[in-house]
Amino acid sequence: MAGFDAYSIILKPLLSEKCYDGIPNKKYTFIVKKGATKTEIKKALETIYAGVKVAKVNTVNCDGKIKRMGRNEGRQSSFKKAYVQLAENSKAIEFFESLS
């Protein structure tokens, strides 16, 4: 993987009601690059957040919502979500700990 950039793979954390329920169990949700694989996501998270050990990564491709403006109909951009489970002996991600 020449030119590996962790910040181009992990785009932003996803914060919703469903995501908040997983924080106490060390389950976090991120929006990631569409072409990213599970191993790339794992490596990027362990690079960005030092001391974090990822146990499992699940990914979901999400279609954009259909939006209308009068007669015109369009779609929002599609994206990829990653559900990340940390190992039990791993430290938690500080960003999410302040939210729970």
Side-chain angles (χ1 to χ4, degrees):
M1 292 177 13
F4 177 78
D5 182 23
Y7 291 97
S8 68
I9 292 174
I10 308 297
L11 301 179
K12 62 182 177 179
L14 186 64
L15 303 173
S16 66
E17 289 184 27
K18 183 180 178 184
C19 300
Y20 285 125
D21 292 340
I23 292 174
N25 300 325
K26 295 185 182 179
K27 292 182 184 177
Y28 305 106
T29 309
F30 295 92
I31 294 181
V32 296
K33 190 170 93 173
K34 282 187 191 178
T37 62
K38 292 180 181 184
T39 53
E40 288 175 343
I41 294 167
K42 178 180 177 179
K43 186 176 175 185
L45 281 170
E46 290 175 350
T47 303
I48 293 171
Y49 302 105
V52 169
K53 296 217 187 290
V54 176
K56 190 163 87 170
V57 177
N58 293 328
T59 58
V60 180
N61 287 314
C62 300
D63 289 333
K65 292 181 180 178
I66 295 175
K67 293 289 185 177
R68 291 178 45 123
M69 195 104 170
R71 290 187 211 189
N72 301 326
E73 190 173 273
R75 232 179 223 285
Q76 289 182 340
S77 299
S78 57
F79 59 95
K80 189 173 194 174
K81 255 195 282 194
Y83 294 101
V84 178
Q85 172 69 52
L86 300 184
E88 288 194 27
N89 59 357
S90 171
K91 76 172 199 174
I93 298 174
E94 294 96 20
F95 174 77
F96 290 100
E97 290 304 312
S98 63
L99 301 174
S100 60

